[in-house]
């Protein structure tokens, strides 16, 4: 059997276009995450670990209940999956919320939101590698456009050196929240990853609240001198929360955790971490909108220009046709 001297190289399949149905959950999830930056300002004076532990414990119960109603099986993690899930909880839940709450005490929410909006660059580079492919040229070109638009929307904002440091930590943790989920999404799906990450985060935060968090004023040790740590101080810290702070914890537990996590991981599983990462550009837009609803000033020309740039970047990165995509 003879063959020709020259052969046509195999063609590389273009990256398929994604549907609005696949993207809509991620858009909504990122909008909720963006609104959380403004909501978290009310927790600046609250016991951080105690309030966040209650938030994630409540979210875990909600997720488990919803999974049972929906008939979704929740698999038990095994082997290295525990490490990936613990990594999601430690970075994307514990450290990220520490960075946000402590960061807004040193900087305007705009600064933290812009840092989160820079995640597409990291996800566009690292995400496809974890998924067994290589970065898409179109996504890599679109990511800086989305970030530039987010910066125009939020501006630089007021900050100091500590605020910049917290913003950088928020950026790293937000990237870890998605990248560390890639190896376990295949077996556990959006439901399983969300449930296990949330309850692990609640356990971590409760431990920090009991053993490391400075108690509220008036809580003393059994000897009557020095600060008291332990379950009593944990309960006392929760008792110090105001009605507004409890409302913020409830909002974060139900919408920003239980709902947003499911929506986000559904989109990551459907379109990949690189493309889903572009949707983080929605977060600063939502933060700006939440600021307006909270009594902030109306958007200026730079905000509208930034909105247009973000939309253009998303359109560039999410449409198909990139022959170099894995």
């Amino acid at each position: 059997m003879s063959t020709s001297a020259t052969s046509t190289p195999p063609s590389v399949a273009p990256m398929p276009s994604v549907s609005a149905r696949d993207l809509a959950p991620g858009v909504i999830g990122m909008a909720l995450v963006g609104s959380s930056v403004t909501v978290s300002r009310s927790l600046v004076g609250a016991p951080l670990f105690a309030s966040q532990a209650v938030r994630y414990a409540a979210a875990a119960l909600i997720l488990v209940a919803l999974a049972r109603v929906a008939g979704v099986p929740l698999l038990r993690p095994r082997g290295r999956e525990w490490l990936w899930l613990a990594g999601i909880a430690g970075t994307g839940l514990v450290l990220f919320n520490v960075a946000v709450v402590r960061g807004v005490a040193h900087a305007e929410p705009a600064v933290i939101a812009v840092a989160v909006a820079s995640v597409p660059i990291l996800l566009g580079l690292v995400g496809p590698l974890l998924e067994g492919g290589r970065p898409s040229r179109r996504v890599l070109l679109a990511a800086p456009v989305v970030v530039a638009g987010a910066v125009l929307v939020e501006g630089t904002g007021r900050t100091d050196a500590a605020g910049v440091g917290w913003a950088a930590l928020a950026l790293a943790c937000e990237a870890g929240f998605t990248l560390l989920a890639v190896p376990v999404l295949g077996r556990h799906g959006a439901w399983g990853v969300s449930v296990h990450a949330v309850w692990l985060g609640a356990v971590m935060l409760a431990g920090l609240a009991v053993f490391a968090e400075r108690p509220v004023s008036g809580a003393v040790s059994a000897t009557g001198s020095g600060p008291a740590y332990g379950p009593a101080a944990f309960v006392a810290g929760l008792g110090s929360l105001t009605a507004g702070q409890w409302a913020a914890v409830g909002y974060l537990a139900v919408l920003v955790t239980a709902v947003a996590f499911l929506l986000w991981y559904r989109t990551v599983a459907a379109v990949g971490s690189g493309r889903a990462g572009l949707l983080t550009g929605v977060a600063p837009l939502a933060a700006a909108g939440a600021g307006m609803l909270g009594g902030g000033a109306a958007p200026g020309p730079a905000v509208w220009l930034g909105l247009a740039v973000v939309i253009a970047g998303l359109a560039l990165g999410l449409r198909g046709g990139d022959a170099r995509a894995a």
Side-chain angles (χ1 to χ4, degrees):
M1 179 176 180
S2 63
T3 59
S4 59
T6 59
S7 60
T8 303
S11 59
V12 180
M15 175 186 287
S17 298
V18 294
S19 67
R21 183 177 180 179
D22 291 330
L23 296 176
V27 171
I28 298 172
M30 271 300 117
L32 292 172
V33 170
S35 69
S36 73
V37 177
T38 300
V39 173
S40 294
R41 298 196 74 173
S42 62
L43 297 177
V44 169
L48 174 59
F49 298 136
S51 60
Q52 295 293 335
V54 171
R55 164 193 174 179
Y56 287 114
L61 293 176
I62 293 171
L63 286 169
V64 171
L66 290 176
R68 289 185 176 180
V69 171
V72 178
L74 299 175
L75 304 178
R76 179 185 177 87
R78 60 190 183 191
R80 293 185 179 179
E81 291 177 348
W82 285 106
L83 298 178
W84 293 111
L85 293 168
I88 298 171
T91 59
L93 277 64
V94 178
L95 286 179
F96 177 78
N97 284 284
V98 171
V100 169
V101 176
R102 294 291 182 248
V104 295
H106 294 270
E108 295 177 359
V111 178
I112 308 299
V114 166
V116 174
S118 301
V119 169
I121 294 178
L122 289 179
L123 296 187
L125 287 171
V126 183
L129 299 177
L130 292 178
E131 293 163 350
R134 61 180 183 273
S136 161
R137 183 180 63 177
R138 191 177 297 280
V139 171
L140 293 180
L141 291 175
V145 177
V146 174
V147 172
V151 172
L152 282 173
V153 170
E154 292 290 356
T156 54
R158 174 193 58 82
T159 185
D160 54 22
V164 172
W166 288 119
L169 180 60
L171 166 62
C173 292
E174 181 67 12
F177 178 74
T178 299
L179 295 175
L180 295 175
V182 171
V184 290
L185 268 174
R187 179 169 180 264
H188 291 276
W191 283 93
V193 172
S194 298
V195 168
H196 292 306
V198 167
W199 77 257
L200 284 170
V203 171
M204 293 177 186
L205 287 161
L208 290 171
V210 171
F211 298 107
E213 187 159 52
R214 185 181 297 277
V216 295
S217 177
V220 295
S221 64
T223 61
S225 62
Y229 294 91
F234 176 74
V235 174
L238 294 179
S240 69
L241 295 177
T242 65
Q245 289 171 334
W246 276 114
V249 170
Y251 178 87
L252 294 172
V254 177
L255 293 178
V256 182
T257 306
V259 174
F261 281 26
L262 285 175
L263 295 175
W264 178 248
Y265 283 134
R266 178 179 175 182
T267 293
V268 172
V271 306
S273 58
R275 278 183 161 183
L278 295 173
L279 298 180
T280 58
V282 174
L285 305 181
M292 289 178 56
L293 294 177
V303 174
W304 295 114
L305 176 60
L307 175 60
V309 173
V310 168
I311 293 174
L314 293 175
L316 172 63
L318 295 174
R319 70 191 182 110
D322 186 354
R324 288 178 173 79

